[in-house]
Amino acid sequence: MPDNKSVIQIGMIGFGNVGQGVYRLLEKNRSLIESKVGAQMRIKRIMVRDLTKAREVTVPEGMLTTNFDDILNDPEIDIVLELMGGYEPTRSYLLAAMKKEKHIVTANKAVLSMHWDEIIQTARQHKVDIYFEAAVCGGIPVVQAINDGLAANNIMSIYGIVNGTTNFILQKMTEEKKSYKEALQMAQKKGLAEADPTLDINGMDAAHKLAILSSLAFSKRVKVEDIYVEGIDRITVQDIEFAKEEFGMVVKLFAIAEVEGDELEVRVHPTLIPQDHLLAKVDGEYNGVLVTGDFVGTTMYYGLGAGNKPTASAVMSDLIYVGRSVHDNVAGEISNCWFLNDNPQIKRIKKMGDIKSRYFLKFSVLDQAGVLSAISRILGEHRISIASVIQKEQKKGDKVPVVIVTYEAKEEDVQEALKKINGLPFVQEETLLIRMDRGE
Amino acid sequence: MPDNKSVIQIGMIGFGNVGQGVYRLLEKNRSLIESKVGAQMRIKRIMVRDLTKAREVTVPEGMLTTNFDDILNDPEIDIVLELMGGYEPTRSYLLAAMKKEKHIVTANKAVLSMHWDEIIQTARQHKVDIYFEAAVCGGIPVVQAINDGLAANNIMSIYGIVNGTTNFILQKMTEEKKSYKEALQMAQKKGLAEADPTLDINGMDAAHKLAILSSLAFSKRVKVEDIYVEGIDRITVQDIEFAKEEFGMVVKLFAIAEVEGDELEVRVHPTLIPQDHLLAKVDGEYNGVLVTGDFVGTTMYYGLGAGNKPTASAVMSDLIYVGRSVHDNVAGEISNCWFLNDNPQIKRIKKMGDIKSRYFLKFSVLDQAGVLSAISRILGEHRISIASVIQKEQKKGDKVPVVIVTYEAKEEDVQEALKKINGLPFVQEETLLIRMDRGE
């Protein structure tokens, strides 16, 4: 066996917010970090697009480069830390680095969830480590919990609030009665939402994370396109108020993966949960994930889901682990359990039409005789039972909201019923549907 | 390098509730577990005190033994799994096994917290792995979170509900207004509390866990005797009701470790927290731990803190990790970060008298003139400011409760003031003191 390495060298791709956070964290907690690794940790090169761009963090002369080859072809670099984001050229860089037997730490949920098989397979072939705690839920060590802490369990379900931006927006709408637009602007001001917040709002960011978490948890590759995704943009402050006042429920954007028989449900959508639900306490930019296993029961992981400091914490914990393994000459030796893809108990992804849920339905109708009976007849014809109805007196002639909460029903039935109801002459707007949590 | 091992062999000490849970878990989820290890997992021998004792789980002929040497001297056994509990002969068994280069997995918080230095040093010397996720908070992977997930952080504080028995009792007292005695009996009926529940009730079980968590988190050996410990047995259902109705607070048994300057506070005692505190939602036999780091911010870990299935989940996750390392010929190679004991930032354990807190004080006094002024004068003389006072009208002549909530004060001052107040002629009972959480 060769001598233990005394310096672990890192090549970094991307030097934005998170990259600078990692740099600062290493500077601040260097002695703690290096004593855990058992070796010096050195960021040797950082690849950026623009050498001259003003940055808050100043790095030594010559550390920055615009040429990936300066990292790829440097035999001293042990670990490539990818914080550039996006699909390409990131994917190519990661594959090339692994082929040169460099270990990988990445925070890139998009490239991982999209090119999972290719990336994992390449890591295996070349016996390199690949770690990505920061790709899901910022600083919360939930990837590790699923991979190691709960490794002995058949995971039954994951329920998570995994997008801080939408969680912040929904909370401002709930507690301060801000409109969706105002709340979004507040999130942008706070640096939580991007200038283009589309991927947060439409649920795709949550879907990327759910694809990674459920591929790991269920030992079954879950693709982003397997996941049913619905964003938060149709929900109004009035709906939120109504759900809270009449039913004691709050709206959260949930990422859900659940085993049902030999099928796996995977979906991202706004969900009504009781105010005393554990995840109801997950406020603002925080994330929270409930993971249930057949032996461990229900566990929960909570913390800041984004931001450069929590994300740097997760990145650095991966670097410490890989660095320690490099130091001890065992990196790439330990067969990472997330390479499994052969769960015999899960045969397929459940079709969205087949899922069952309770539903909160808000109909906007003209205030005239026979409306409720027409709606409830159609629901009944589609095997949907009504648990409660609320209609409040309004000024004559105006459109009025009628809210119906159903018992558990099949999604397909509900969608078909709504199609018919939306076509009725007295229905003024497309009916709003919010799924309800079944409860823990 | 030798060939990869295809069978990992385990010698188990103790075959009670948890041991049988581990056996069952391996039987039920064997294919999942073995595919993660990359090798077969075989429990070869189990040491018990009584071969003839009736057990729910039946094991193959010849697996049980009463002789530890059958495990110690079996060169095929790679891992010793210790589930016997207690201090001796457990300590001797663990040390002997490590000297024979057997890796250790244990759920024994008592022996670890008491003999930490000796056990950790022996593991180091003989280059063996030692893992103990199940020793703290049952199925919750909080040891791992602190060791790995948050490894890059200077940990600032730990606030935890780490004893399910007392948490269950306090909840029954709070929600169902059961007396302390009734609630304890319910816990015993549910199998949560031992026939002799002393170590749960008096806080020592929580102190064992806190000693382990804080030794890891702060890279500083914390001994059980360093920890200030107070149990829940003085709290009545009336106190709980009062705190809830008048102040909107609930009582939890908290294990607290917190860095203050260059000192570390470590204490276990009943604590009043607001009803909307994250940990207020940790009910019944669940545990919850808040861990705050300088980069990650506040994180939380939640789940079942005891019971044979969650504990088996934690034990088996350690066995998978160690088994994988044995399979890959790297067990004992990776320098475990919890071997650190050299945090230069923490100089000493803070004396309990020096801590600062807010206090809920319940005085039992005769209803006569001048009482409140005498009490408040003594408090004032000891630099204790009053935030609120509640005294309710009672039948003349009876003893009445007077509740005072203070602003932040020094423990030593409060204890001295109470000594004086308790000596006043109109004070009928020793004053009840409950510390209040400072808030997140």
Side-chain angles (χ1 to χ4, degrees):
Chain A
M1 239 189 218
D3 280 351
N4 285 352
K5 276 211 164 194
S6 61
V7 186
I8 311 299
Q9 312 223 43
I10 299 160
M12 198 158 141
I13 316 178
F15 200 47
N17 237 333
V18 174
Q20 294 179 58
V22 171
Y23 194 94
R24 276 192 182 128
L25 170 51
L26 182 57
E27 292 306 298
K28 177 166 184 291
N29 292 354
R30 178 177 291 281
S31 74
L32 175 79
I33 290 164
E34 293 188 338
S35 64
K36 289 182 178 181
V37 174
Q40 285 178 53
M41 292 286 269
R42 184 178 164 209
I43 296 176
K44 193 177 184 194
R45 299 308 293 270
I46 302 173
M47 187 200 155
V48 294
R49 256 171 245 153
D50 178 1
L51 293 175
T52 61
K53 187 175 161 185
R55 293 180 175 87
E56 283 183 29
V57 171
T58 318
V59 303
E61 190 74 23
M63 188 182 276
L64 298 185
T65 172
T66 56
N67 187 357
F68 177 61
D69 287 344
D70 288 344
I71 290 172
L72 184 68
N73 296 325
D74 185 337
E76 283 186 358
I77 288 179
D78 305 293
I79 305 171
V80 170
L81 169 59
E82 186 272 302
L83 301 170
M84 185 170 57
Y87 300 106
E88 278 296 353
T90 325
R91 170 185 151 274
S92 310
Y93 288 174
L94 291 177
L95 295 177
M98 290 191 279
K99 286 173 188 163
K100 290 262 189 180
E101 287 171 8
K102 297 193 187 304
H103 307 287
I104 304 290
V105 172
T106 174
N108 187 334
K109 55 194 160 287
V111 79
L112 276 174
S113 57
M114 195 61 75
H115 300 291
W116 180 264
D117 297 315
E118 189 181 26
I119 290 171
I120 297 294
Q121 214 173 336
T122 307
R124 260 180 166 170
Q125 258 171 26
H126 296 274
K127 282 200 131 198
V128 295
D129 282 341
I130 174 162
Y131 283 82
F132 43 84
E133 185 61 80
V136 184
C137 295
I140 310 171
V142 63
V143 167
Q144 187 186 61
I146 287 175
N147 273 331
D148 286 318
L150 309 183
N153 291 266
N154 282 303
I155 302 298
M156 319 303 291
S157 66
I158 297 173
Y159 281 79
I161 296 170
V162 299
N163 181 278
T165 309
T166 49
N167 200 50
F168 177 88
I169 291 173
L170 289 171
Q171 192 194 358
K172 290 290 162 196
M173 291 171 73
T174 307
E175 289 178 5
E176 299 173 24
K177 309 202 172 165
K178 301 285 177 200
S179 73
Y180 167 74
K181 256 197 183 161
E182 287 170 318
L184 172 57
Q185 279 164 0
M186 289 172 80
Q188 285 170 324
K189 233 184 215 164
K190 249 199 125 183
L192 286 173
E194 308 286 329
D196 175 7
T198 315
L199 289 183
D200 290 324
I201 301 304
N202 71 9
M204 283 310 293
D205 174 82
H208 285 148
K209 292 168 184 166
L210 185 62
I212 295 172
L213 285 184
S214 47
S215 293
L216 297 173
F218 302 101
S219 297
K220 192 88 190 170
R221 164 80 158 117
V222 174
K223 296 178 183 174
V224 176
E225 56 266 37
D226 291 331
I227 301 173
Y228 172 83
V229 186
E230 203 181 290
I232 64 162
D233 44 318
R234 273 208 66 207
I235 293 171
T236 67
V237 66
Q238 288 75 24
D239 302 328
I240 289 176
E241 247 185 283
F242 200 89
K244 194 174 169 186
E245 275 163 28
E246 302 293 337
F247 300 99
M249 301 193 99
V250 293
V251 185
K252 297 282 185 185
L253 183 69
F254 260 27
I256 299 171
E258 187 154 15
V259 177
E260 290 281 335
D262 58 3
E263 296 186 317
L264 182 66
E265 286 183 28
V266 274
R267 45 197 170 104
V268 171
H269 53 67
T271 305
L272 280 165
I273 58 176
Q275 276 174 308
D276 63 354
H277 191 289
L278 261 179
L279 292 180
K281 282 262 153 280
V282 177
D283 281 339
E285 60 240 72
Y286 280 86
N287 285 185
V289 184
L290 289 174
V291 186
T292 302
D294 58 350
F295 271 71
V296 76
T298 293
T299 60
M300 179 181 168
Y301 311 88
Y302 166 93
L304 285 165
N308 72 79
K309 287 175 83 177
T311 309
S313 163
V315 165
M316 192 55 73
S317 86
D318 282 349
L319 288 174
I320 290 174
Y321 190 87
V322 178
R324 204 155 75 206
S325 303
V326 171
H327 168 68
D328 289 328
N329 297 303
V330 302
E333 290 291 333
I334 298 194
S335 37
N336 297 310
C337 58
W338 51 73
F339 290 15
L340 296 178
N341 188 24
D342 52 4
N343 189 337
Q345 290 174 43
I346 296 174
K347 302 264 187 277
R348 72 194 77 79
I349 305 291
K350 195 171 203 152
K351 286 195 203 105
M352 188 60 191
D354 288 341
I355 75 135
K356 281 178 182 169
S357 179
R358 300 188 65 184
Y359 295 83
F360 172 102
L361 304 171
K362 190 187 76 174
F363 305 94
S364 283
V365 294
L366 289 177
D367 190 7
Q368 57 189 44
V371 164
L372 195 57
S373 94
I375 290 175
S376 51
R377 185 179 47 76
I378 294 176
L379 292 177
E381 283 167 3
H382 288 81
R383 295 159 296 279
I384 301 159
S385 301
I386 295 173
S388 58
V389 180
I390 293 180
Q391 177 181 351
K392 293 197 170 160
E393 204 172 339
Q394 302 267 335
K395 272 188 291 175
K396 238 348 204 213
D398 274 10
K399 74 177 180 196
V400 294
V402 174
V403 169
I404 290 183
V405 167
T406 76
Y407 286 113
E408 202 163 82
K410 199 175 162 191
E411 176 82 15
E412 200 172 48
D413 292 339
V414 173
Q415 294 295 352
E416 275 173 30
L418 290 192
K419 216 180 288 171
K420 283 191 196 155
I421 292 169
N422 286 337
L424 294 174
F426 54 76
V427 173
Q428 301 292 292
E429 275 174 31
E430 201 188 330
T431 302
L432 175 77
L433 169 164
I434 312 180
R435 295 170 194 85
M436 298 171 80
D437 184 53
R438 270 172 256 186
E440 281 161 74
Chain B
M1 236 186 220
D3 280 350
N4 284 352
K5 275 211 167 195
S6 61
V7 187
I8 311 299
Q9 312 223 41
I10 299 160
M12 197 157 141
I13 316 178
F15 201 46
N17 238 332
V18 174
Q20 294 178 58
V22 171
Y23 194 94
R24 275 193 182 128
L25 170 51
L26 182 57
E27 292 306 297
K28 176 165 184 291
N29 291 354
R30 179 177 290 281
S31 75
L32 175 79
I33 290 164
E34 294 188 338
S35 65
K36 289 184 178 181
V37 175
Q40 286 177 52
M41 290 288 268
R42 185 177 164 210
I43 295 176
K44 193 178 183 192
R45 299 307 293 269
I46 302 174
M47 186 199 155
V48 294
R49 257 170 243 154
D50 179 1
L51 292 176
T52 61
K53 187 173 161 186
R55 291 179 177 87
E56 283 183 28
V57 171
T58 319
V59 304
E61 190 74 22
M63 188 182 277
L64 298 185
T65 172
T66 57
N67 186 356
F68 177 59
D69 288 344
D70 288 344
I71 289 172
L72 185 68
N73 297 325
D74 185 337
E76 283 186 357
I77 287 179
D78 305 293
I79 305 172
V80 170
L81 169 58
E82 186 271 303
L83 301 170
M84 184 170 60
Y87 299 107
E88 277 298 351
T90 325
R91 171 185 150 276
S92 309
Y93 288 175
L94 291 177
L95 296 176
M98 289 190 279
K99 285 173 187 163
K100 290 260 188 184
E101 287 171 8
K102 297 192 188 306
H103 306 287
I104 304 290
V105 172
T106 174
N108 187 334
K109 54 194 159 288
V111 78
L112 276 173
S113 57
M114 196 60 75
H115 300 290
W116 180 264
D117 297 314
E118 189 181 24
I119 290 171
I120 297 294
Q121 214 173 336
T122 307
R124 261 180 166 172
Q125 257 171 26
H126 295 273
K127 282 199 133 199
V128 295
D129 282 341
I130 175 162
Y131 283 82
F132 44 83
E133 185 62 79
V136 184
C137 296
I140 311 170
V142 62
V143 168
Q144 188 186 62
I146 287 175
N147 273 329
D148 286 319
L150 309 183
N153 291 265
N154 283 302
I155 303 297
M156 319 301 291
S157 66
I158 297 174
Y159 281 79
I161 295 170
V162 299
N163 180 278
T165 309
T166 48
N167 200 49
F168 177 88
I169 291 172
L170 289 171
Q171 193 194 358
K172 290 290 161 195
M173 291 172 73
T174 307
E175 289 179 6
E176 299 173 23
K177 307 200 175 167
K178 301 283 177 201
S179 73
Y180 167 74
K181 256 197 181 159
E182 288 171 317
L184 172 57
Q185 280 164 1
M186 290 173 80
Q188 285 170 323
K189 232 184 214 162
K190 250 198 125 185
L192 286 174
E194 309 285 329
D196 175 8
T198 315
L199 290 183
D200 290 324
I201 301 305
N202 70 10
M204 282 310 293
D205 175 82
H208 286 149
K209 292 168 184 165
L210 184 62
I212 295 172
L213 285 184
S214 46
S215 292
L216 297 173
F218 302 101
S219 297
K220 192 86 188 172
R221 164 81 158 117
V222 174
K223 297 179 183 172
V224 176
E225 57 266 35
D226 291 332
I227 301 173
Y228 173 83
V229 186
E230 201 181 292
I232 64 162
D233 45 319
R234 274 207 67 205
I235 292 170
T236 67
V237 65
Q238 288 76 24
D239 302 327
I240 288 176
E241 247 184 282
F242 199 90
K244 195 172 168 186
E245 276 165 25
E246 302 294 335
F247 299 99
M249 302 192 99
V250 292
V251 185
K252 297 282 185 186
L253 183 68
F254 259 27
I256 300 171
E258 187 155 14
V259 177
E260 290 281 335
D262 59 2
E263 296 186 318
L264 182 66
E265 285 183 28
V266 274
R267 43 196 172 106
V268 171
H269 53 67
T271 304
L272 280 164
I273 59 174
Q275 276 174 307
D276 64 354
H277 192 289
L278 261 179
L279 292 180
K281 284 261 151 281
V282 176
D283 282 338
E285 61 241 72
Y286 280 87
N287 285 185
V289 184
L290 289 175
V291 186
T292 302
D294 58 350
F295 271 71
V296 75
T298 293
T299 60
M300 179 184 169
Y301 310 89
Y302 166 94
L304 285 164
N308 72 80
K309 288 174 82 178
T311 309
S313 163
V315 165
M316 192 56 74
S317 87
D318 282 348
L319 287 174
I320 290 173
Y321 190 87
V322 178
R324 203 156 77 206
S325 302
V326 171
H327 168 68
D328 289 328
N329 297 303
V330 302
E333 290 291 333
I334 298 195
S335 39
N336 297 310
C337 59
W338 52 74
F339 289 14
L340 296 178
N341 188 24
D342 51 3
N343 189 336
Q345 288 173 43
I346 296 174
K347 302 266 188 275
R348 72 194 75 81
I349 306 291
K350 195 171 205 153
K351 286 195 203 103
M352 188 60 189
D354 289 341
I355 74 135
K356 282 179 182 168
S357 179
R358 301 188 64 183
Y359 295 83
F360 172 101
L361 305 171
K362 190 187 76 176
F363 304 94
S364 282
V365 294
L366 290 177
D367 191 6
Q368 57 190 47
V371 164
L372 195 57
S373 94
I375 290 175
S376 50
R377 186 180 46 78
I378 294 176
L379 292 177
E381 283 167 3
H382 288 83
R383 295 157 297 276
I384 301 159
S385 302
I386 295 173
S388 58
V389 181
I390 293 179
Q391 177 181 352
K392 293 197 171 159
E393 204 172 342
Q394 302 268 334
K395 273 187 291 173
K396 241 339 196 221
D398 274 10
K399 74 176 181 199
V400 293
V402 175
V403 169
I404 290 183
V405 167
T406 75
Y407 286 112
E408 202 163 84
K410 200 174 160 191
E411 176 83 14
E412 199 172 47
D413 292 338
V414 173
Q415 295 295 351
E416 274 172 32
L418 290 192
K419 215 181 288 171
K420 284 191 195 156
I421 292 169
N422 286 336
L424 294 175
F426 52 77
V427 173
Q428 301 291 294
E429 275 174 32
E430 200 188 332
T431 303
L432 176 76
L433 168 164
I434 311 180
R435 293 171 195 85
M436 298 171 80
D437 185 52
R438 269 171 258 185
E440 281 160 74

